[in-house]
Amino acid sequence: MFDKFAEGARRAVVRAGILALDAGRPALDADLMLLGLAEVRPFTLRTFTATAAAAVRERVDTNDSRTLLATLGIDLDRVHRSTRSGTDDPRAWSLRRTPARPLRVVLYGPLGQLPLAMHARKAVEVAVWRGSGRPATGEDLLWGLLADHANGAARILTDAGVDLRELVRELRGSDARRSA
């Protein structure tokens, strides 16, 4: 499925997968997909505010042990840099449907494999559908997250200070520019 994604959107999904694996989550859910988008920012959306990455991170449970490890004198980011060189390269990852269960989508990579939870899978499928004929972009992935009101992405963004009406207006405008 990654062949249907633009480079930036792939990077965002891989980042979300790494965050989910680090948090010990059994599946990649929409909240971490949103955090992956906020950190990678594979778009130039003016209304996706500059502080969104920090604000989104505050609202998503990543089970981050950095503070605890820092009290022991361990820099988790440094450990990751020395042990995970190249693991965030999207070419080392794949996103595939499982043959026996066609509704199951799994992210495979050098750090492990992770099924996409229902809401994250929906966002990916909407992004691919919106791309129809061209690689799905970060905007498409964001649209997929916002299209499903039950996944909590809109609430996280609103709580982070993002004006959703303006964001949707800007996303629609990016659609018009792409199709022109």
Side-chain angles (χ1 to χ4, degrees):
M1 288 180 83
F2 261 170
D3 59 330
K4 297 177 181 174
F5 280 79
E7 179 71 18
R10 274 188 233 141
R11 283 195 181 286
V13 172
V14 167
R15 179 66 186 141
I18 291 171
L19 290 166
L21 288 167
D22 285 349
R25 294 224 190 149
L28 173 56
D29 213 332
D31 61 343
L32 286 177
M33 189 79 74
L34 180 61
L35 182 56
L37 276 170
E39 288 188 1
V40 173
R41 297 186 64 83
F43 41 66
T44 56
L45 297 170
R46 171 187 54 76
T47 52
F48 197 95
T49 61
T51 60
V56 170
R57 181 172 279 282
E58 289 173 6
R59 288 160 178 79
V60 175
D61 178 20
T62 58
N63 197 21
D64 196 0
S65 51
R66 280 177 176 74
T67 308
L68 175 62
L69 291 172
T71 62
L72 301 172
I74 300 170
D75 181 356
L76 186 59
D77 291 326
R78 185 174 170 206
V79 171
H80 282 172
R81 281 191 302 274
S82 65
T83 59
R84 293 184 169 181
S85 179
T87 58
D88 61 347
D89 182 355
R91 293 172 297 190
W93 294 77
S94 66
L95 188 65
R96 301 190 302 257
R97 289 190 187 284
T98 57
R101 297 172 67 190
L103 290 180
R104 186 176 173 104
V105 177
V106 180
L107 180 65
Y108 297 93
L111 299 177
Q113 64 183 35
L114 192 64
L116 272 65
M118 175 185 67
H119 295 295
R121 180 182 54 81
K122 283 180 176 179
V124 164
E125 289 175 348
V126 167
V128 170
W129 172 79
R130 279 180 50 101
S132 59
R134 62 162 173 75
T137 63
E139 288 93 340
D140 296 326
L141 198 52
L142 182 57
W143 190 268
L145 286 168
L146 293 175
D148 180 5
H149 299 286
N151 68 20
R155 186 185 71 254
I156 291 169
L157 288 174
T158 300
D159 290 349
V162 175
D163 183 340
L164 282 184
R165 287 182 188 203
E166 283 301 313
L167 180 59
V168 168
R169 223 175 263 128
E170 188 175 9
L171 282 168
R172 284 188 177 135
S174 70
D175 278 352
R177 285 190 299 274
R178 260 197 310 260
S179 63

